Amino acid sequence: MSAYNFKGLEKKWSPIWEDMDLYKTGDDQGNKNFYCLDYFPYPSGAGLSVGHCRNYIPTDVICRKKRMDGHNVLHPMGWDAFGQPAEEYAIKTGMHPAEVTRINTENYKRQMKLFEAGYDWDREINSSHPDYYKWTQFFFLLLFDRGLAYQSDNFQMYCPQCRIVLSNEESAGGICWRCSSEVVKKRLPQWYFRITDYADRLLDELDDLDWPENIKAMQRNWIGRSHGAEVVFTVKTEEELVHLPVYTTRIDTIFGATFCVLAPEHPDLLQITTEKCRKDVQEYIRSSSTKTDLQRLVASEKGKTGIFTGAYATNPFNGKEIPVWTADYVLAGYGTAAIMAVPAHDERDHAFARKYDLPIIEVIAPDGVPQGVEDEATVADGQLINSGQFSGLSSEESRETMAEFAENNNFGKAETRYRIRDWLVSRQRYWGAPIPIIHCDNCGAVPERNLPVILPDVKSYEPDDTGRSPLAACEDWVNTTCPECGSPAKRETSTMAGFACSSWYFLRFASPNCTDAPFDIEEVNKWLPVDLYVGGAEHAVMHLIYARFWTKVMYDAGMLNFTEPFTCLKNQGMLISYDHQKMSKSKGNVITPDEMIVKYGADALRLYIIFMGPFEAEIEWSEEGLAGTYRFVKRIWNLFLETADFKEIETDEVFQKELRYELARTIKKVTEDIDGFQFNTGVAAMMEFLNFLSVNRDKAASVSAAWRKAQQDFLTVLAPAAPFVTDELWHILGFGGENETIHTQKWPEWVEEDLVKDTVEIVVQIKGKIRDRISVPVNSSKEEIEKIALSREKIQEYLKGSIPRRVIVVPGRLVNIIG
RNA sequence: GCCGGAGUGGCGGAAUGGCAGACGCGACGGACUCAAAAUCCGUUACCUUUCGAGGUGUGAGGGUUCAAGUCCCUCCUCCGGUACCA
């Protein structure tokens, strides 16, 4: 008997499967189609760690099972290749980013093949290739033509560390998503996509998606729809009447407004400021402009700051004049950048009013009882008091009637606002898809329809702090003629953020070689939307929201017949290193699949990755655990070879029945667990079955046919998780011929009748405590079971002759006697 | 603060309202061996025990139920997200 030699098996089988095109996308007319997609990876120089395996191995297992189930499977892989790290490396070494990318993708691909992830490499795509980014540019123009791309020089987030502007999604919490440094505000002309136009649909269409609840919650939060009202206050300056619209979700508290606050960035701030206050206000604007949002927030924890403008605004509801302040606790980018402050019923306004000694007027009484508002704001809804004609109404009804009242009197209306901002998509960087726009003095921003706009070679990839792209230095390329009027014009020198490339790649995989369109609609309709999308949770409000947005735009343009790209989404849990920290190159605690495969083999690694715990759970790496699945594989090898040959002996009917029962139970469990993403318990079921076979190995010959059937089915259900050892044993044991492979066999079905036992053990409880166990025929009636249970000697002893008040019988499970 | 999720042995974790701790790791004992490794067999929640068994136990406290890790209420802790969004 030969010893288990995983290296030999890996060397032998990989090329054989490649020759048979095992992973080629299926195309059988009668089969259902299944599109399984992994997140578009950025090929980093660090290569793959075992953490990445938690993404790629489970999807591979699913796809292998789906193929055996009779599905056409599309499981592609490609590279989100544009981006900063390749460019940074190029800046440091002078190597072209394309070359850096080529080396890194080759390494990723090599590693994926090491653990035998079965991708259809004929469909490999690379977003930095002109054949691909031509279509990214095409979609930019689609958005442009539909009025969804525009230029603006609003404030934007800038990461000084990465020297790059960021979208709001990329700088959530004032922190750069890539390097975690604090972002600052800059004002540069940039390109935006009007994602806010789609806010309602992005929010409402989340409901029906089979996505993790937390991801949906994050998107809902991020979109942040709120229903409120805009109310126009007025300020009389010496020269004119300035309208000052404020946004509030609590119009019911408007009689309690005792001052207004404008963000320091508010456009009308200096206009309304009185001469006397001007100097101080200017100084306040200057000092707050130097702070990051994060610094403002931190500073405000010690106490909010602000300054009086000298102006007074009139509350249209009661004609009262209240002072106007500026303070940086009011955000520039939200609502109207101006608020009415109601210190009695808003914590922030309360803190501000206390600090600057502004009046506090109580106007809401929860359940009709005023709570007092000197020490603390009352934020709960209630009954309106001190509110003129509206007094006595509830908060809820007054929000409606007061908004109507404002509208009827032309000083306001009900309004819905969103937290989400437009998507800042341009980057002053080299390694990205050039934005296909030409700037002409006569015609303005003109689309370049002659695509692709090829990224030219440049001498220096270095971005500068002035906001000029490295492409700007490339004069031959920049200077062109206007496609509309023919006069000299200049190309847009910024490139698109990487998230543009990944907003449509899932469509490209359906027809990766399509040349006259971004995709072949027939192929797209055949495969999409994606049936199963798997990746980490970190893209909840970045990639996943952008991709949904582009899909809806394409739908509106009549290019697609679906509005959501990803039907089912799963997030794998993080893999924590042995030192309880995230794996990272800088911490030096990265474990690579390469070293583990050398030590234990690909099958053991694959099994461990799916067995270590629930798919979504964060789990700590344990090499001892991997050694455990390695032992499991080795035990299969030894036991199956040991029981490979039989001499005919008399059949052991009892054991045969038991074996069939265990086999059926195992097939059922493994089938249901892989389908339900419960790989860990599926593997456990296979381990249990092996334990069962192992304990009964001496009976193998007494049930030879059933034993062989058990071996065959066991290998087949194990094949997706452990492709090498199963194919080898399958051949050694003679289940398939030379040109066959276990991986194209039909997924076994369990025999339902085998799951029916003759007798079943039932526990007998007295008042919920187990006192005895009885074995009864499986189809015994409740009465029969009760009779047997009550007649047991042990039970009689416990009952001591007393007559049970009640007996509950659950056939097949238990008897509970209540004394 | 708000939103989402989770609290079960020494550890990772199992359990359609019906035998808590499957499976794996680790540990302990044994077999094999000159010895070790590997392998195989057994034990392994806690407390008590006359070794038959008895009691306790799923973050805490209440409740529903014949029966609760599972359902309901209150609270605590941890993880993730978000954070002046008016």
Side-chain angles (χ1 to χ4, degrees):
Chain A
M1 195 173 90
S2 62
Y4 173 55
N5 167 14
F6 55 82
K7 257 175 230 162
L9 300 189
E10 285 161 22
K11 244 195 201 140
K12 171 182 169 185
W13 286 105
S14 264
I16 293 178
W17 295 329
E18 196 164 341
D19 283 349
M20 351 172 129
D21 270 337
L22 186 58
Y23 309 127
K24 198 179 165 66
T25 305
D27 195 20
D28 268 339
Q29 287 297 311
N31 286 355
K32 279 194 199 142
N33 298 317
F34 183 76
Y35 183 5
C36 173
L37 185 63
D38 302 282
Y39 277 11
F40 205 29
Y42 174 80
S44 92
L48 296 173
S49 73
V50 286
H52 296 96
C53 294
R54 286 198 79 191
N55 189 167
Y56 305 133
I57 288 173
T59 54
D60 184 53
V61 170
I62 292 267
C63 288
R64 286 168 183 271
K65 198 227 153 203
K66 286 280 177 191
R67 264 185 229 117
M68 295 168 86
D69 252 356
H71 286 77
N72 293 324
V73 170
L74 171 57
H75 192 208
M77 181 47 70
W79 317 107
D80 191 10
F82 272 139
Q84 286 155 261
E87 187 173 301
E88 298 292 350
Y89 191 77
I91 290 167
K92 249 191 277 169
T93 63
M95 197 191 278
H96 196 283
E99 179 62 6
V100 179
T101 304
R102 193 190 59 76
I103 292 168
N104 292 348
T105 54
E106 280 309 307
N107 188 41
Y108 265 51
K109 200 166 162 178
R110 179 192 63 79
Q111 287 185 295
M112 286 170 172
K113 286 182 174 179
L114 272 184
F115 51 84
E116 201 61 27
Y119 296 111
D120 180 353
W121 291 109
D122 291 346
R123 296 191 182 227
E124 183 177 356
I125 61 176
N126 181 322
S127 66
S128 67
H129 197 282
D131 290 349
Y132 184 91
Y133 70 68
K134 169 182 180 178
W135 300 112
T136 309
Q137 293 172 334
F138 169 90
F139 286 118
F140 181 96
L141 294 184
L142 178 75
L143 284 145
F144 182 85
D145 291 339
R146 299 182 69 79
L148 295 168
Y150 65 94
Q151 264 187 305
S152 157
D153 65 348
N154 246 326
F155 282 102
Q156 57 241 188
M157 304 301 176
Y158 179 83
C159 173
Q161 177 77 32
C162 300
R163 295 184 293 180
I164 197 164
V165 292
L166 299 169
S167 70
N168 283 293
E169 290 76 19
E170 291 166 327
S171 58
I175 297 293
C176 171
W177 74 291
R178 207 184 273 283
C179 74
S180 299
S181 48
E182 253 181 65
V183 299
V184 297
K185 280 191 177 161
K186 271 215 173 182
R187 214 168 177 151
L188 298 162
Q190 299 286 354
W191 284 92
Y192 290 84
F193 288 147
R194 230 179 270 284
I195 193 170
T196 51
D197 276 12
Y198 283 73
D200 274 320
R201 287 161 69 188
L202 287 168
L203 184 65
D204 295 338
E205 289 169 33
L206 273 174
D207 293 348
D208 298 330
L209 295 177
D210 179 10
W211 284 22
E213 260 331 296
N214 62 326
I215 300 287
K216 292 211 252 185
M218 277 187 237
Q219 290 212 355
R220 288 192 185 107
N221 244 323
W222 190 258
I223 294 165
R225 179 162 65 194
S226 79
H227 299 290
E230 194 175 292
V231 180
V232 184
F233 284 57
T234 47
V235 178
K236 250 194 222 120
T237 67
E238 308 218 329
E239 301 90 42
E240 56 189 328
L241 191 69
V242 177
H243 292 276
L244 193 66
V246 303
Y247 176 71
T248 179
T249 53
R250 292 298 303 274
I251 194 172
D252 55 312
T253 65
I254 198 164
F255 281 79
T258 54
F259 55 100
C260 280
V261 187
L262 272 55
E265 292 87 354
H266 195 286
D268 297 334
L269 176 56
L270 283 170
Q271 197 187 342
I272 61 161
T273 302
T274 59
E275 203 51 51
K276 210 176 123 201
C277 299
R278 185 164 301 257
K279 239 187 169 163
D280 292 342
V281 169
Q282 273 171 334
E283 173 53 26
Y284 187 77
I285 294 172
R286 200 198 54 74
S287 82
S288 60
S289 73
T290 61
K291 286 187 227 159
T292 64
D293 280 1
L294 212 61
Q295 285 168 332
R296 284 187 184 187
L297 187 61
V298 170
S300 77
E301 261 153 35
K302 290 186 208 126
K304 296 190 190 310
T305 62
I307 196 152
F308 181 45
T309 63
Y312 288 85
T314 308
N315 180 342
F317 270 83
N318 58 9
K320 236 169 106 175
E321 296 216 324
I322 54 176
V324 180
W325 287 61
T326 180
D328 63 10
Y329 82 89
V330 173
L331 302 180
Y334 183 78
T336 59
I339 62 159
M340 63 171 200
V342 184
H345 304 292
D346 182 282
E347 282 168 20
R348 297 152 301 181
D349 298 343
H350 193 270
F352 194 80
R354 292 307 296 252
K355 177 164 177 188
Y356 293 103
D357 213 13
L358 293 156
I360 301 172
I361 300 173
E362 188 169 21
V363 294
I364 301 290
D367 299 319
V369 184
Q371 306 290 299
V373 289
E374 276 310 297
D375 298 332
E376 189 174 32
T378 302
V379 293
D381 278 359
Q383 205 177 85
L384 272 64
I385 54 173
N386 305 325
S387 298
Q389 55 178 298
F390 301 99
S391 294
L393 293 181
S394 73
S395 290
E396 212 181 321
E397 53 190 337
S398 66
R399 281 197 282 266
E400 214 169 294
T401 51
M402 290 171 97
E404 269 170 36
F405 180 80
E407 183 157 15
N408 293 338
N409 291 282
N410 285 320
F411 54 72
K413 60 177 186 302
E415 272 269 316
T416 301
R417 296 270 171 172
Y418 304 87
R419 224 184 99 126
I420 191 171
R421 312 289 154 80
D422 279 340
W423 171 11
L424 166 52
V425 73
S426 53
R427 299 288 181 270
Q428 281 61 47
R429 282 291 186 143
Y430 173 73
W431 192 232
I435 290 179
I437 290 287
I438 291 167
H439 297 281
C440 167
D441 286 343
N442 307 322
C443 312
V446 178
E448 166 66 277
R449 308 261 175 212
N450 183 19
L451 302 179
V453 176
I454 295 282
L455 187 62
D457 277 334
V458 294
K459 288 194 196 78
S460 161
Y461 309 110
E462 192 98 14
D464 64 23
D465 295 328
T466 65
R468 256 167 53 110
S469 159
L471 290 175
C474 206
E475 288 191 17
D476 289 353
W477 181 82
V478 171
N479 292 311
T480 183
T481 52
C482 171
E484 277 183 15
C485 71
S487 50
K490 286 186 189 304
R491 287 191 187 280
E492 169 69 44
T493 57
S494 52
T495 53
M496 277 182 260
F499 284 118
C501 309
S502 55
S503 289
W504 73 282
Y505 80 105
F506 43 92
L507 295 160
R508 186 67 181 170
F509 278 130
S511 49
N513 301 312
C514 187
T515 51
D516 55 352
F519 48 77
D520 174 339
I521 188 62
E522 251 181 61
E523 290 297 312
V524 162
N525 285 339
K526 185 167 146 191
W527 292 108
L528 281 103
V530 174
D531 296 291
L532 176 64
Y533 195 31
V534 180
E538 67 277 7
H539 284 296
V541 293
M542 295 190 282
H543 161 62
L544 287 173
I545 212 159
Y546 299 143
R548 294 181 62 222
F549 165 50
W550 276 38
T551 302
K552 289 176 201 304
V553 173
M554 288 181 220
Y555 173 85
D556 289 351
M559 298 176 71
L560 298 175
N561 63 9
F562 53 89
T563 60
E564 286 291 341
F566 316 120
T567 309
C568 173
L569 175 74
K570 302 261 183 211
N571 298 129
Q572 80 273 13
M574 213 189 321
L575 189 50
I576 300 297
S577 195
Y578 47 81
D579 57 357
H580 318 297
Q581 300 192 79
K582 286 184 191 180
M583 283 187 199
S584 80
K585 212 177 167 184
S586 58
K587 287 180 194 129
N589 60 2
V590 175
I591 297 147
T592 65
D594 310 49
E595 50 186 321
M596 291 302 124
I597 288 168
V598 167
K599 269 174 106 166
Y600 303 97
D603 283 337
L605 176 67
R606 292 171 59 100
L607 278 164
Y608 177 59
I609 288 288
I610 61 174
F611 177 65
M612 64 197 325
F615 172 78
E616 302 85 358
E618 178 177 302
I619 293 178
E620 231 166 78
W621 173 260
S622 151
E623 194 169 329
E624 288 82 10
L626 172 54
T629 54
Y630 170 70
R631 277 196 285 272
F632 171 56
V633 176
K634 210 157 70 169
R635 288 178 64 215
I636 299 167
W637 178 267
N638 292 334
L639 178 69
F640 276 31
L641 291 187
E642 201 182 296
T643 56
D645 301 309
F646 305 102
K647 282 197 192 94
E648 278 300 315
I649 61 167
E650 200 184 332
T651 302
D652 178 341
E653 298 282 352
V654 174
F655 175 61
Q656 180 161 289
K657 196 156 170 48
E658 205 185 342
L659 175 60
R660 287 195 173 135
Y661 170 82
E662 292 297 334
L663 178 65
R665 198 173 71 96
T666 304
I667 296 172
K668 182 173 156 80
K669 181 84 178 137
V670 174
T671 303
E672 291 171 352
D673 283 355
I674 293 180
D675 289 344
F677 253 73
Q678 318 254 267
F679 306 101
N680 54 332
T681 49
V683 175
M686 293 191 274
M687 287 173 165
E688 280 180 73
F689 188 64
L690 181 72
N691 291 344
F692 171 81
L693 292 181
S694 182
V695 168
N696 293 292
R697 66 221 290 165
D698 53 326
K699 294 190 196 147
S702 69
V703 292
S704 49
W707 189 272
R708 269 185 70 77
K709 172 84 168 107
Q711 286 183 318
Q712 185 176 9
D713 286 355
F714 176 80
L715 289 174
T716 312
V717 297
L718 178 63
F724 294 102
V725 72
T726 50
D727 216 0
E728 180 72 11
L729 284 172
W730 191 74
H731 281 88
I732 293 177
L733 296 176
F735 294 125
E738 205 168 315
N739 299 315
E740 291 179 287
T741 168
I742 193 171
H743 301 297
T744 54
Q745 299 309 303
K746 204 170 161 298
W747 187 258
E749 280 171 24
W750 66 89
V751 182
E752 203 58 53
E753 293 150 38
D754 287 349
L755 288 171
V756 180
K757 286 184 152 180
D758 292 341
T759 60
V760 62
E761 192 188 70
I762 284 182
V763 290
V764 183
Q765 300 180 328
I766 295 176
K767 283 195 216 148
K769 291 199 174 173
I770 297 156
R771 298 303 184 188
D772 201 4
R773 288 158 199 279
I774 56 175
S775 185
V776 299
V778 74
N779 48 9
S780 308
S781 70
K782 281 190 178 189
E783 290 72 25
E784 286 166 326
I785 295 169
E786 180 174 338
K787 214 171 128 194
I788 297 166
L790 287 173
S791 67
R792 298 281 291 187
E793 204 175 302
K794 256 178 127 176
I795 298 301
Q796 289 296 329
E797 261 172 51
Y798 273 103
L799 290 176
K800 290 188 190 113
S802 68
I803 294 145
R805 253 190 318 131
R806 203 177 148 193
V807 180
I808 286 128
V809 181
V810 184
R813 294 209 183 265
L814 55 69
V815 177
N816 193 5
I817 300 163
I818 297 107

